[in-house]
Amino acid sequence: MELRDRICVVTGGANGIGQALCRRFADEGARAVIVVDKDADGALATAEALGSRGTALTADVTVEADVEAVVERTEAEIGPIDLFASNAGILGFGGIEAPDTVWESVWSVNVLAHLYAARAMIPLMLGRGGGYLLSTASAAGLLSQPGDAPYSVTKHAAVALAEWLAITYGDLGIRVSCVCPMAVDTSMLLGVPGAAAERAGGPAGSDASRPEAQAAAVAGILSPARVADSVVAGIRDERFLILPHPAVATYEQRRAADRDRWLAGMRRLSRALAAGTRRVGSDAPPRAD
Ligand SMILES: NC(=O)c1ccc[n+]([C@@H]2O[C@H](COP(=O)([O-])OP(=O)(O)OC[C@H]3O[C@@H](n4cnc5c(N)ncnc54)[C@H](O)[C@@H]3O)[C@@H](O)[C@H]2O)c1
């Protein structure tokens, strides 16, 4: 699908990857880009930078009524939504000891928000013969993220939901893409808003044992703009899986080909990250054996 003249909604549009998607969709000639975020000021700033194409809406995507209101207002005041990019997501931190409250909040943002978007959009899109759903999952949803069980589990669920939607509605005109990056230079990567750009260049000032830094150690850190480039190319091709870090395809193949060997490799990677012998931002792929 070409984005020219399209009406696009982007959740998590105030910052990071979502903000880059908003800018890129506008640059591609989208008729309107609706910047949705619970960060009202950030959403407004992103929308204002888009000029007449940008509209900001404040919403918590974990509240189904908020997602419904975004869709209703957009369709009533701007027009039929062509592309709904469900992008907002959060890290979890921790393993089995992470409290249920953490698991529940990560599940709500990383999975239920995608469900609410699909529930609100699919009947409308089916009624007009088609539409496009984009969800931002993660390479952690195809592989794993050492040190962050809630993130790994919920991102796998996000990929599974996107696949299920593509299987169920693909022949009815609903196109689905799922973007699965590894490390991207946003505040999520290093956990400090505004500090990512200074800190993403290497281990100085960053902590390689942090889970969000660990993805960076595998395949390098991309800018949000590079991710947006991949997304636009993937949407143009109507490709389900969008991999801004191409190495993820190789890692996924290795995982599928020999799960025990892949798990052993991941254990080695986790140990190297914990010992600090693997550098954040290294381009070297993990050993598969
Ligand atoms: N940065 C990375 O390394 C990386 C890697 C792979 C996948 N991702 C995924 O990309 C997506 C965007 O992440 P990012 O790196 O741009 O993060 P970010 O923290 O820079 O931006 C996330 C945005 O989502 C918003 N948000 C969070 N919870 C929300 C809620 N309940 N309702 C509405 N808005 C909410 C935040 O306010 C923020 O503006 C996420 O789904 C994330 O899991 C990020």
Side-chain angles (χ1 to χ4, degrees):
M1 182 178 85
E2 294 296 332
L3 288 156
R4 176 160 297 281
D5 294 329
R6 302 292 184 176
I7 297 175
C8 307
V9 173
V10 180
T11 73
N15 295 288
I17 295 169
Q19 185 183 64
L21 292 177
C22 290
R23 288 181 180 153
R24 190 61 208 274
F25 293 168
D27 288 348
E28 288 291 306
R31 174 147 78 88
V33 178
I34 294 78
V35 185
V36 179
D37 209 290
K38 65 177 186 179
D39 169 0
D41 292 342
L44 196 59
T46 302
E48 281 177 354
L50 305 180
S52 61
R53 296 179 202 272
T55 299
L57 290 180
T58 308
D60 180 343
V61 294
T62 67
V63 177
E64 188 163 19
D66 277 20
V67 177
E68 288 169 351
V70 163
V71 171
E72 281 163 18
R73 273 194 66 180
T74 304
E75 299 245 337
E77 296 172 18
I78 299 175
I81 297 166
D82 296 294
L83 170 73
F84 194 109
S86 185
N87 165 80
I90 58 171
L91 290 170
F93 298 113
I96 56 173
E97 77 291 351
D100 287 4
T101 49
V102 168
W103 282 89
E104 284 158 6
S105 66
V106 180
W107 177 260
S108 294
V109 185
N110 291 358
V111 185
L112 290 183
H114 298 310
L115 174 67
Y116 299 155
R119 272 195 195 142
M121 287 311 311
I122 283 179
L124 294 171
M125 288 176 166
L126 289 177
R128 47 189 178 242
Y132 212 118
L133 300 176
L134 174 82
S135 62
T136 306
S138 169
L142 300 170
L143 306 167
S144 189
Q145 180 139 334
D148 196 334
Y151 193 75
S152 302
V153 170
T154 57
K155 289 298 187 179
H156 271 262
V159 173
L161 177 60
E163 286 175 344
W164 189 90
L165 293 169
I167 291 165
T168 307
Y169 298 106
D171 289 340
L172 300 172
I174 308 290
R175 285 145 295 170
V176 182
S177 289
C178 182
V179 53
C180 293
M182 292 191 106
V184 185
D185 188 8
T186 72
S187 58
M188 174 181 279
L189 182 64
L190 295 172
V192 181
E198 299 143 42
R199 297 173 69 185
S206 62
D207 175 357
S209 70
R210 294 186 61 137
E212 70 277 23
Q214 297 187 351
V218 177
I221 301 169
L222 292 185
S223 68
R226 282 277 300 280
V227 175
D229 289 344
S230 293
V231 168
V232 167
I235 290 172
R236 183 168 289 132
D237 295 347
E238 301 186 359
R239 207 171 341 109
F240 174 78
L241 195 57
I242 300 176
L243 299 178
H245 300 75
V248 173
T250 306
Y251 304 153
E252 198 191 12
Q253 282 163 9
R254 288 179 187 161
R255 174 176 180 264
D258 188 336
R259 197 67 65 103
D260 290 303
R261 191 173 180 213
W262 177 80
L263 288 170
M266 288 299 287
R267 285 194 288 271
R268 260 195 302 281
L269 173 65
S270 296
R271 284 197 297 273
L273 288 165
T277 55
R278 186 160 205 117
R279 189 170 98 59
V280 174
S282 161
D283 281 331
R287 286 160 51 99
D289 54 0

